[in-house]
PDB file of all heavy atoms in Angstrom:
ATOM      1  N   ASP A  82      -9.335 -12.489 -13.612  1.00 93.00           N
ATOM      2  CA  ASP A  82      -8.007 -12.439 -14.268  1.00 93.00           C
ATOM      3  C   ASP A  82      -7.213 -11.261 -13.722  1.00 93.00           C
ATOM      4  O   ASP A  82      -7.681 -10.545 -12.798  1.00 93.00           O
ATOM      5  CB  ASP A  82      -8.148 -12.355 -15.785  1.00 93.00           C
ATOM      6  CG  ASP A  82      -8.986 -11.158 -16.238  1.00 93.00           C
ATOM      7  OD1 ASP A  82      -9.190 -10.209 -15.440  1.00 93.00           O
ATOM      8  OD2 ASP A  82      -9.416 -11.126 -17.419  1.00 93.00           O
ATOM      9  N   GLU A  83      -6.059 -11.028 -14.262  1.00 88.00           N
ATOM     10  CA  GLU A  83      -5.158  -9.965 -13.785  1.00 88.00           C
ATOM     11  C   GLU A  83      -5.805  -8.602 -13.904  1.00 88.00           C
ATOM     12  O   GLU A  83      -5.696  -7.750 -13.002  1.00 88.00           O
ATOM     13  CB  GLU A  83      -3.864 -10.004 -14.563  1.00 88.00           C
ATOM     14  CG  GLU A  83      -2.833  -8.968 -14.121  1.00 88.00           C
ATOM     15  CD  GLU A  83      -1.520  -9.088 -14.824  1.00 88.00           C
ATOM     16  OE1 GLU A  83      -1.366  -9.987 -15.703  1.00 88.00           O
ATOM     17  OE2 GLU A  83      -0.589  -8.286 -14.553  1.00 88.00           O
ATOM     18  N   ASN A  84      -6.479  -8.338 -15.018  1.00 90.00           N
ATOM     19  CA  ASN A  84      -7.132  -7.019 -15.205  1.00 90.00           C
ATOM     20  C   ASN A  84      -8.207  -6.790 -14.160  1.00 90.00           C
ATOM     21  O   ASN A  84      -8.317  -5.688 -13.615  1.00 90.00           O
ATOM     22  CB  ASN A  84      -7.740  -6.911 -16.622  1.00 90.00           C
ATOM     23  CG  ASN A  84      -6.684  -6.800 -17.699  1.00 90.00           C
ATOM     24  OD1 ASN A  84      -5.571  -6.348 -17.428  1.00 90.00           O
ATOM     25  ND2 ASN A  84      -7.030  -7.216 -18.905  1.00 90.00           N
ATOM     26  N   TYR A  85      -8.988  -7.840 -13.866  1.00 94.00           N
ATOM     27  CA  TYR A  85     -10.023  -7.692 -12.853  1.00 94.00           C
ATOM     28  C   TYR A  85      -9.393  -7.419 -11.491  1.00 94.00           C
ATOM     29  O   TYR A  85      -9.862  -6.532 -10.734  1.00 94.00           O
ATOM     30  CB  TYR A  85     -10.885  -8.970 -12.782  1.00 94.00           C
ATOM     31  CG  TYR A  85     -12.028  -8.870 -11.789  1.00 94.00           C
ATOM     32  CD1 TYR A  85     -13.273  -8.393 -12.189  1.00 94.00           C
ATOM     33  CD2 TYR A  85     -11.852  -9.212 -10.451  1.00 94.00           C
ATOM     34  CE1 TYR A  85     -14.313  -8.279 -11.286  1.00 94.00           C
ATOM     35  CE2 TYR A  85     -12.869  -9.118  -9.534  1.00 94.00           C
ATOM     36  CZ  TYR A  85     -14.093  -8.649  -9.952  1.00 94.00           C
ATOM     37  OH  TYR A  85     -15.130  -8.513  -9.041  1.00 94.00           O
ATOM     38  N   PHE A  86      -8.341  -8.167 -11.154  1.00 91.00           N
ATOM     39  CA  PHE A  86      -7.671  -7.984  -9.882  1.00 91.00           C
ATOM     40  C   PHE A  86      -7.148  -6.545  -9.752  1.00 91.00           C
ATOM     41  O   PHE A  86      -7.331  -5.887  -8.725  1.00 91.00           O
ATOM     42  CB  PHE A  86      -6.530  -8.990  -9.747  1.00 91.00           C
ATOM     43  CG  PHE A  86      -5.733  -8.813  -8.480  1.00 91.00           C
ATOM     44  CD1 PHE A  86      -6.114  -9.475  -7.283  1.00 91.00           C
ATOM     45  CD2 PHE A  86      -4.605  -8.028  -8.437  1.00 91.00           C
ATOM     46  CE1 PHE A  86      -5.367  -9.310  -6.131  1.00 91.00           C
ATOM     47  CE2 PHE A  86      -3.836  -7.866  -7.286  1.00 91.00           C
ATOM     48  CZ  PHE A  86      -4.219  -8.504  -6.118  1.00 91.00           C
ATOM     49  N   ASN A  87      -6.463  -6.100 -10.766  1.00 86.00           N
ATOM     50  CA  ASN A  87      -5.865  -4.775 -10.727  1.00 86.00           C
ATOM     51  C   ASN A  87      -6.942  -3.669 -10.613  1.00 86.00           C
ATOM     52  O   ASN A  87      -6.752  -2.668  -9.928  1.00 86.00           O
ATOM     53  CB  ASN A  87      -5.018  -4.474 -11.975  1.00 86.00           C
ATOM     54  CG  ASN A  87      -3.739  -5.302 -11.969  1.00 86.00           C
ATOM     55  OD1 ASN A  87      -3.282  -5.759 -10.897  1.00 86.00           O
ATOM     56  ND2 ASN A  87      -3.119  -5.508 -13.140  1.00 86.00           N
ATOM     57  N   GLN A  88      -8.057  -3.869 -11.288  1.00 90.00           N
ATOM     58  CA  GLN A  88      -9.106  -2.853 -11.271  1.00 90.00           C
ATOM     59  C   GLN A  88      -9.900  -2.829  -9.961  1.00 90.00           C
ATOM     60  O   GLN A  88     -10.238  -1.756  -9.447  1.00 90.00           O
ATOM     61  CB  GLN A  88     -10.073  -3.106 -12.433  1.00 90.00           C
ATOM     62  CG  GLN A  88     -11.177  -2.045 -12.523  1.00 90.00           C
ATOM     63  CD  GLN A  88     -12.089  -2.259 -13.704  1.00 90.00           C
ATOM     64  OE1 GLN A  88     -11.839  -3.156 -14.545  1.00 90.00           O
ATOM     65  NE2 GLN A  88     -13.141  -1.477 -13.804  1.00 90.00           N
ATOM     66  N   HIS A  89     -10.117  -4.000  -9.365  1.00 92.00           N
ATOM     67  CA  HIS A  89     -11.055  -4.066  -8.227  1.00 92.00           C
ATOM     68  C   HIS A  89     -10.435  -4.439  -6.875  1.00 92.00           C
ATOM     69  O   HIS A  89     -11.033  -4.148  -5.846  1.00 92.00           O
ATOM     70  CB  HIS A  89     -12.173  -5.060  -8.553  1.00 92.00           C
ATOM     71  CG  HIS A  89     -12.998  -4.698  -9.729  1.00 92.00           C
ATOM     72  ND1 HIS A  89     -13.807  -3.565  -9.728  1.00 92.00           N
ATOM     73  CD2 HIS A  89     -13.148  -5.303 -10.940  1.00 92.00           C
ATOM     74  CE1 HIS A  89     -14.420  -3.493 -10.909  1.00 92.00           C
ATOM     75  NE2 HIS A  89     -14.051  -4.522 -11.648  1.00 92.00           N
ATOM     76  N   PHE A  90      -9.258  -5.070  -6.873  1.00 91.00           N
ATOM     77  CA  PHE A  90      -8.648  -5.530  -5.655  1.00 91.00           C
ATOM     78  C   PHE A  90      -7.437  -4.718  -5.244  1.00 91.00           C
ATOM     79  O   PHE A  90      -7.174  -4.541  -4.037  1.00 91.00           O
ATOM     80  CB  PHE A  90      -8.230  -7.008  -5.738  1.00 91.00           C
ATOM     81  CG  PHE A  90      -9.364  -8.006  -5.789  1.00 91.00           C
ATOM     82  CD1 PHE A  90     -10.666  -7.619  -6.070  1.00 91.00           C
ATOM     83  CD2 PHE A  90      -9.125  -9.346  -5.574  1.00 91.00           C
ATOM     84  CE1 PHE A  90     -11.704  -8.537  -6.152  1.00 91.00           C
ATOM     85  CE2 PHE A  90     -10.136 -10.273  -5.618  1.00 91.00           C
ATOM     86  CZ  PHE A  90     -11.423  -9.886  -5.908  1.00 91.00           C
ATOM     87  N   LEU A  91      -6.651  -4.272  -6.216  1.00 84.00           N
ATOM     88  CA  LEU A  91      -5.380  -3.619  -5.934  1.00 84.00           C
ATOM     89  C   LEU A  91      -5.581  -2.346  -5.092  1.00 84.00           C
ATOM     90  O   LEU A  91      -6.292  -1.450  -5.477  1.00 84.00           O
ATOM     91  CB  LEU A  91      -4.686  -3.286  -7.261  1.00 84.00           C
ATOM     92  CG  LEU A  91      -3.223  -2.846  -7.181  1.00 84.00           C
ATOM     93  CD1 LEU A  91      -2.356  -4.003  -6.711  1.00 84.00           C
ATOM     94  CD2 LEU A  91      -2.739  -2.331  -8.529  1.00 84.00           C
ATOM     95  N   GLY A  92      -4.917  -2.296  -3.935  1.00 79.00           N
ATOM     96  CA  GLY A  92      -4.985  -1.138  -3.068  1.00 79.00           C
ATOM     97  C   GLY A  92      -6.241  -1.023  -2.244  1.00 79.00           C
ATOM     98  O   GLY A  92      -6.437  -0.009  -1.587  1.00 79.00           O
ATOM     99  N   ARG A  93      -7.073  -2.034  -2.256  1.00 84.00           N
ATOM    100  CA  ARG A  93      -8.346  -1.996  -1.554  1.00 84.00           C
ATOM    101  C   ARG A  93      -8.313  -2.849  -0.284  1.00 84.00           C
ATOM    102  O   ARG A  93      -7.528  -3.787  -0.154  1.00 84.00           O
ATOM    103  CB  ARG A  93      -9.466  -2.499  -2.472  1.00 84.00           C
ATOM    104  CG  ARG A  93      -9.620  -1.736  -3.775  1.00 84.00           C
ATOM    105  CD  ARG A  93     -10.284  -0.413  -3.558  1.00 84.00           C
ATOM    106  NE  ARG A  93     -10.668   0.221  -4.814  1.00 84.00           N
ATOM    107  CZ  ARG A  93     -11.481   1.259  -4.925  1.00 84.00           C
ATOM    108  NH1 ARG A  93     -12.000   1.799  -3.880  1.00 84.00           N
ATOM    109  NH2 ARG A  93     -11.777   1.763  -6.134  1.00 84.00           N
ATOM    110  N   SER A  94      -9.230  -2.512   0.629  1.00 84.00           N
ATOM    111  CA  SER A  94      -9.369  -3.294   1.853  1.00 84.00           C
ATOM    112  C   SER A  94     -10.024  -4.616   1.583  1.00 84.00           C
ATOM    113  O   SER A  94     -10.709  -4.814   0.549  1.00 84.00           O
ATOM    114  CB  SER A  94     -10.158  -2.514   2.876  1.00 84.00           C
ATOM    115  OG  SER A  94     -11.496  -2.413   2.489  1.00 84.00           O
ATOM    116  N   PHE A  95      -9.911  -5.544   2.545  1.00 89.00           N
ATOM    117  CA  PHE A  95     -10.542  -6.842   2.406  1.00 89.00           C
ATOM    118  C   PHE A  95     -12.066  -6.713   2.362  1.00 89.00           C
ATOM    119  O   PHE A  95     -12.727  -7.420   1.608  1.00 89.00           O
ATOM    120  CB  PHE A  95     -10.126  -7.756   3.556  1.00 89.00           C
ATOM    121  CG  PHE A  95     -10.397  -9.208   3.322  1.00 89.00           C
ATOM    122  CD1 PHE A  95      -9.532  -9.988   2.572  1.00 89.00           C
ATOM    123  CD2 PHE A  95     -11.532  -9.811   3.831  1.00 89.00           C
ATOM    124  CE1 PHE A  95      -9.806 -11.323   2.333  1.00 89.00           C
ATOM    125  CE2 PHE A  95     -11.824 -11.139   3.625  1.00 89.00           C
ATOM    126  CZ  PHE A  95     -10.941 -11.909   2.871  1.00 89.00           C
ATOM    127  N   ASP A  96     -12.597  -5.774   3.148  1.00 91.00           N
ATOM    128  CA  ASP A  96     -14.072  -5.549   3.133  1.00 91.00           C
ATOM    129  C   ASP A  96     -14.522  -5.107   1.758  1.00 91.00           C
ATOM    130  O   ASP A  96     -15.592  -5.533   1.259  1.00 91.00           O
ATOM    131  CB  ASP A  96     -14.449  -4.538   4.165  1.00 91.00           C
ATOM    132  CG  ASP A  96     -14.445  -5.076   5.598  1.00 91.00           C
ATOM    133  OD1 ASP A  96     -14.429  -6.319   5.743  1.00 91.00           O
ATOM    134  OD2 ASP A  96     -14.408  -4.294   6.524  1.00 91.00           O
ATOM    135  N   HIS A  97     -13.728  -4.264   1.098  1.00 90.00           N
ATOM    136  CA  HIS A  97     -14.088  -3.816  -0.258  1.00 90.00           C
ATOM    137  C   HIS A  97     -14.077  -5.025  -1.204  1.00 90.00           C
ATOM    138  O   HIS A  97     -14.962  -5.153  -2.062  1.00 90.00           O
ATOM    139  CB  HIS A  97     -13.095  -2.766  -0.737  1.00 90.00           C
ATOM    140  CG  HIS A  97     -13.298  -2.375  -2.193  1.00 90.00           C
ATOM    141  ND1 HIS A  97     -14.122  -1.355  -2.562  1.00 90.00           N
ATOM    142  CD2 HIS A  97     -12.802  -2.907  -3.320  1.00 90.00           C
ATOM    143  CE1 HIS A  97     -14.133  -1.260  -3.893  1.00 90.00           C
ATOM    144  NE2 HIS A  97     -13.343  -2.201  -4.366  1.00 90.00           N
ATOM    145  N   VAL A  98     -13.036  -5.851  -1.104  1.00 95.00           N
ATOM    146  CA  VAL A  98     -12.905  -7.022  -1.979  1.00 95.00           C
ATOM    147  C   VAL A  98     -14.090  -7.946  -1.786  1.00 95.00           C
ATOM    148  O   VAL A  98     -14.681  -8.428  -2.782  1.00 95.00           O
ATOM    149  CB  VAL A  98     -11.586  -7.765  -1.686  1.00 95.00           C
ATOM    150  CG1 VAL A  98     -11.575  -9.108  -2.427  1.00 95.00           C
ATOM    151  CG2 VAL A  98     -10.376  -6.904  -2.125  1.00 95.00           C
ATOM    152  N   LYS A  99     -14.500  -8.212  -0.549  1.00 95.00           N
ATOM    153  CA  LYS A  99     -15.646  -9.064  -0.298  1.00 95.00           C
ATOM    154  C   LYS A  99     -16.917  -8.510  -0.931  1.00 95.00           C
ATOM    155  O   LYS A  99     -17.672  -9.240  -1.558  1.00 95.00           O
ATOM    156  CB  LYS A  99     -15.868  -9.206   1.212  1.00 95.00           C
ATOM    157  CG  LYS A  99     -14.828 -10.064   1.914  1.00 95.00           C
ATOM    158  CD  LYS A  99     -15.281 -10.489   3.300  1.00 95.00           C
ATOM    159  CE  LYS A  99     -15.528  -9.325   4.207  1.00 95.00           C
ATOM    160  NZ  LYS A  99     -15.940  -9.769   5.573  1.00 95.00           N
ATOM    161  N   ALA A 100     -17.109  -7.196  -0.784  1.00 96.00           N
ATOM    162  CA  ALA A 100     -18.305  -6.544  -1.349  1.00 96.00           C
ATOM    163  C   ALA A 100     -18.263  -6.609  -2.861  1.00 96.00           C
ATOM    164  O   ALA A 100     -19.308  -6.838  -3.515  1.00 96.00           O
ATOM    165  CB  ALA A 100     -18.395  -5.106  -0.875  1.00 96.00           C
ATOM    166  N   GLN A 101     -17.065  -6.453  -3.470  1.00 96.00           N
ATOM    167  CA  GLN A 101     -16.942  -6.491  -4.938  1.00 96.00           C
ATOM    168  C   GLN A 101     -17.278  -7.881  -5.468  1.00 96.00           C
ATOM    169  O   GLN A 101     -17.975  -8.018  -6.479  1.00 96.00           O
ATOM    170  CB  GLN A 101     -15.520  -6.093  -5.327  1.00 96.00           C
ATOM    171  CG  GLN A 101     -15.348  -5.865  -6.813  1.00 96.00           C
ATOM    172  CD  GLN A 101     -15.974  -4.582  -7.292  1.00 96.00           C
ATOM    173  OE1 GLN A 101     -15.791  -3.557  -6.694  1.00 96.00           O
ATOM    174  NE2 GLN A 101     -16.726  -4.645  -8.381  1.00 96.00           N
ATOM    175  N   VAL A 102     -16.775  -8.903  -4.803  1.00 97.00           N
ATOM    176  CA  VAL A 102     -17.058 -10.278  -5.232  1.00 97.00           C
ATOM    177  C   VAL A 102     -18.537 -10.588  -5.156  1.00 97.00           C
ATOM    178  O   VAL A 102     -19.103 -11.213  -6.053  1.00 97.00           O
ATOM    179  CB  VAL A 102     -16.230 -11.276  -4.396  1.00 97.00           C
ATOM    180  CG1 VAL A 102     -16.672 -12.721  -4.660  1.00 97.00           C
ATOM    181  CG2 VAL A 102     -14.731 -11.142  -4.664  1.00 97.00           C
ATOM    182  N   TYR A 103     -19.157 -10.114  -4.105  1.00 97.00           N
ATOM    183  CA  TYR A 103     -20.620 -10.369  -3.959  1.00 97.00           C
ATOM    184  C   TYR A 103     -21.388  -9.614  -5.057  1.00 97.00           C
ATOM    185  O   TYR A 103     -22.319 -10.152  -5.651  1.00 97.00           O
ATOM    186  CB  TYR A 103     -21.106  -9.937  -2.596  1.00 97.00           C
ATOM    187  CG  TYR A 103     -22.526 -10.310  -2.366  1.00 97.00           C
ATOM    188  CD1 TYR A 103     -22.899 -11.610  -2.004  1.00 97.00           C
ATOM    189  CD2 TYR A 103     -23.579  -9.385  -2.544  1.00 97.00           C
ATOM    190  CE1 TYR A 103     -24.232 -11.976  -1.826  1.00 97.00           C
ATOM    191  CE2 TYR A 103     -24.899  -9.727  -2.364  1.00 97.00           C
ATOM    192  CZ  TYR A 103     -25.223 -11.023  -2.009  1.00 97.00           C
ATOM    193  OH  TYR A 103     -26.517 -11.381  -1.842  1.00 97.00           O
ATOM    194  N   ARG A 104     -20.951  -8.362  -5.307  1.00 97.00           N
ATOM    195  CA  ARG A 104     -21.646  -7.544  -6.305  1.00 97.00           C
ATOM    196  C   ARG A 104     -21.543  -8.169  -7.720  1.00 97.00           C
ATOM    197  O   ARG A 104     -22.513  -8.191  -8.439  1.00 97.00           O
ATOM    198  CB  ARG A 104     -21.015  -6.132  -6.316  1.00 97.00           C
ATOM    199  CG  ARG A 104     -22.021  -5.032  -6.271  1.00 97.00           C
ATOM    200  CD  ARG A 104     -21.429  -3.635  -6.166  1.00 97.00           C
ATOM    201  NE  ARG A 104     -20.021  -3.492  -6.087  1.00 97.00           N
ATOM    202  CZ  ARG A 104     -19.373  -3.120  -4.971  1.00 97.00           C
ATOM    203  NH1 ARG A 104     -20.037  -2.948  -3.846  1.00 97.00           N
ATOM    204  NH2 ARG A 104     -18.093  -2.936  -4.984  1.00 97.00           N
ATOM    205  N   ASP A 105     -20.351  -8.648  -8.048  1.00 97.00           N
ATOM    206  CA  ASP A 105     -20.126  -9.109  -9.417  1.00 97.00           C
ATOM    207  C   ASP A 105     -20.500 -10.579  -9.638  1.00 97.00           C
ATOM    208  O   ASP A 105     -20.834 -10.950 -10.763  1.00 97.00           O
ATOM    209  CB  ASP A 105     -18.660  -8.876  -9.801  1.00 97.00           C
ATOM    210  CG  ASP A 105     -18.306  -7.436  -9.939  1.00 97.00           C
ATOM    211  OD1 ASP A 105     -19.237  -6.600 -10.073  1.00 97.00           O
ATOM    212  OD2 ASP A 105     -17.104  -7.084  -9.912  1.00 97.00           O
ATOM    213  N   PHE A 106     -20.410 -11.385  -8.596  1.00 97.00           N
ATOM    214  CA  PHE A 106     -20.580 -12.828  -8.767  1.00 97.00           C
ATOM    215  C   PHE A 106     -21.642 -13.445  -7.830  1.00 97.00           C
ATOM    216  O   PHE A 106     -21.827 -14.655  -7.868  1.00 97.00           O
ATOM    217  CB  PHE A 106     -19.238 -13.557  -8.579  1.00 97.00           C
ATOM    218  CG  PHE A 106     -18.150 -13.011  -9.439  1.00 97.00           C
ATOM    219  CD1 PHE A 106     -17.159 -12.223  -8.905  1.00 97.00           C
ATOM    220  CD2 PHE A 106     -18.090 -13.297 -10.799  1.00 97.00           C
ATOM    221  CE1 PHE A 106     -16.132 -11.713  -9.686  1.00 97.00           C
ATOM    222  CE2 PHE A 106     -17.088 -12.810 -11.606  1.00 97.00           C
ATOM    223  CZ  PHE A 106     -16.095 -12.013 -11.056  1.00 97.00           C
ATOM    224  N   THR A 107     -22.260 -12.606  -7.020  1.00 96.00           N
ATOM    225  CA  THR A 107     -23.234 -13.061  -6.036  1.00 96.00           C
ATOM    226  C   THR A 107     -22.648 -14.183  -5.184  1.00 96.00           C
ATOM    227  O   THR A 107     -23.326 -15.182  -4.860  1.00 96.00           O
ATOM    228  CB  THR A 107     -24.551 -13.561  -6.707  1.00 96.00           C
ATOM    229  OG1 THR A 107     -24.847 -12.732  -7.816  1.00 96.00           O
ATOM    230  CG2 THR A 107     -25.713 -13.461  -5.708  1.00 96.00           C
ATOM    231  N   MET A 108     -21.388 -14.024  -4.827  1.00 97.00           N
ATOM    232  CA  MET A 108     -20.709 -14.998  -3.975  1.00 97.00           C
ATOM    233  C   MET A 108     -20.332 -14.326  -2.654  1.00 97.00           C
ATOM    234  O   MET A 108     -19.683 -13.259  -2.654  1.00 97.00           O
ATOM    235  CB  MET A 108     -19.447 -15.513  -4.643  1.00 97.00           C
ATOM    236  CG  MET A 108     -18.591 -16.394  -3.744  1.00 97.00           C
ATOM    237  SD  MET A 108     -17.018 -16.872  -4.482  1.00 97.00           S
ATOM    238  CE  MET A 108     -16.141 -17.496  -3.037  1.00 97.00           C
ATOM    239  N   GLU A 109     -20.751 -14.918  -1.565  1.00 97.00           N
ATOM    240  CA  GLU A 109     -20.402 -14.385  -0.277  1.00 97.00           C
ATOM    241  C   GLU A 109     -19.052 -14.933   0.172  1.00 97.00           C
ATOM    242  O   GLU A 109     -18.844 -16.152   0.205  1.00 97.00           O
ATOM    243  CB  GLU A 109     -21.458 -14.739   0.773  1.00 97.00           C
ATOM    244  CG  GLU A 109     -21.152 -14.153   2.141  1.00 97.00           C
ATOM    245  CD  GLU A 109     -22.171 -14.580   3.193  1.00 97.00           C
ATOM    246  OE1 GLU A 109     -23.140 -15.279   2.843  1.00 97.00           O
ATOM    247  OE2 GLU A 109     -21.998 -14.200   4.362  1.00 97.00           O
ATOM    248  N   VAL A 110     -18.115 -14.030   0.480  1.00 97.00           N
ATOM    249  CA  VAL A 110     -16.841 -14.446   1.049  1.00 97.00           C
ATOM    250  C   VAL A 110     -17.063 -14.616   2.546  1.00 97.00           C
ATOM    251  O   VAL A 110     -17.003 -13.659   3.315  1.00 97.00           O
ATOM    252  CB  VAL A 110     -15.731 -13.424   0.744  1.00 97.00           C
ATOM    253  CG1 VAL A 110     -14.408 -13.866   1.372  1.00 97.00           C
ATOM    254  CG2 VAL A 110     -15.560 -13.247  -0.770  1.00 97.00           C
ATOM    255  N   THR A 111     -17.350 -15.843   2.927  1.00 97.00           N
ATOM    256  CA  THR A 111     -17.688 -16.138   4.323  1.00 97.00           C
ATOM    257  C   THR A 111     -16.433 -16.080   5.191  1.00 97.00           C
ATOM    258  O   THR A 111     -15.310 -15.959   4.715  1.00 97.00           O
ATOM    259  CB  THR A 111     -18.282 -17.562   4.420  1.00 97.00           C
ATOM    260  OG1 THR A 111     -17.277 -18.493   3.985  1.00 97.00           O
ATOM    261  CG2 THR A 111     -19.540 -17.657   3.524  1.00 97.00           C
ATOM    262  N   HIS A 112     -16.635 -16.190   6.503  1.00 96.00           N
ATOM    263  CA  HIS A 112     -15.503 -16.241   7.436  1.00 96.00           C
ATOM    264  C   HIS A 112     -14.595 -17.424   7.094  1.00 96.00           C
ATOM    265  O   HIS A 112     -13.361 -17.330   7.158  1.00 96.00           O
ATOM    266  CB  HIS A 112     -15.975 -16.339   8.876  1.00 96.00           C
ATOM    267  CG  HIS A 112     -16.619 -15.098   9.376  1.00 96.00           C
ATOM    268  ND1 HIS A 112     -15.952 -13.869   9.424  1.00 96.00           N
ATOM    269  CD2 HIS A 112     -17.868 -14.861   9.893  1.00 96.00           C
ATOM    270  CE1 HIS A 112     -16.761 -12.929   9.926  1.00 96.00           C
ATOM    271  NE2 HIS A 112     -17.914 -13.520  10.205  1.00 96.00           N
ATOM    272  N   ALA A 113     -15.191 -18.544   6.707  1.00 97.00           N
ATOM    273  CA  ALA A 113     -14.417 -19.726   6.400  1.00 97.00           C
ATOM    274  C   ALA A 113     -13.558 -19.482   5.144  1.00 97.00           C
ATOM    275  O   ALA A 113     -12.377 -19.884   5.095  1.00 97.00           O
ATOM    276  CB  ALA A 113     -15.337 -20.932   6.170  1.00 97.00           C
ATOM    277  N   ILE A 114     -14.131 -18.837   4.118  1.00 97.00           N
ATOM    278  CA  ILE A 114     -13.375 -18.550   2.926  1.00 97.00           C
ATOM    279  C   ILE A 114     -12.288 -17.516   3.209  1.00 97.00           C
ATOM    280  O   ILE A 114     -11.153 -17.627   2.705  1.00 97.00           O
ATOM    281  CB  ILE A 114     -14.327 -18.040   1.813  1.00 97.00           C
ATOM    282  CG1 ILE A 114     -15.275 -19.169   1.376  1.00 97.00           C
ATOM    283  CG2 ILE A 114     -13.535 -17.538   0.602  1.00 97.00           C
ATOM    284  CD1 ILE A 114     -16.335 -18.739   0.413  1.00 97.00           C
ATOM    285  N   ALA A 115     -12.620 -16.530   4.026  1.00 95.00           N
ATOM    286  CA  ALA A 115     -11.606 -15.515   4.418  1.00 95.00           C
ATOM    287  C   ALA A 115     -10.443 -16.194   5.144  1.00 95.00           C
ATOM    288  O   ALA A 115      -9.273 -15.849   4.893  1.00 95.00           O
ATOM    289  CB  ALA A 115     -12.232 -14.475   5.292  1.00 95.00           C
TER     290      ALA A 115
END
Side-chain angles (χ1 to χ4, degrees):
D82 57 17
E83 182 176 0
N84 288 336
Y85 183 91
F86 177 88
N87 289 340
Q88 182 177 354
H89 298 295
F90 289 17
L91 191 67
R93 302 284 191 167
S94 69
F95 196 82
D96 285 343
H97 174 91
V98 170
K99 289 196 298 182
Q101 190 73 47
V102 170
Y103 186 80
R104 228 175 359 252
D105 291 343
F106 305 104
T107 323
M108 173 186 167
E109 182 182 358
V110 179
T111 64
H112 289 302
I114 294 174

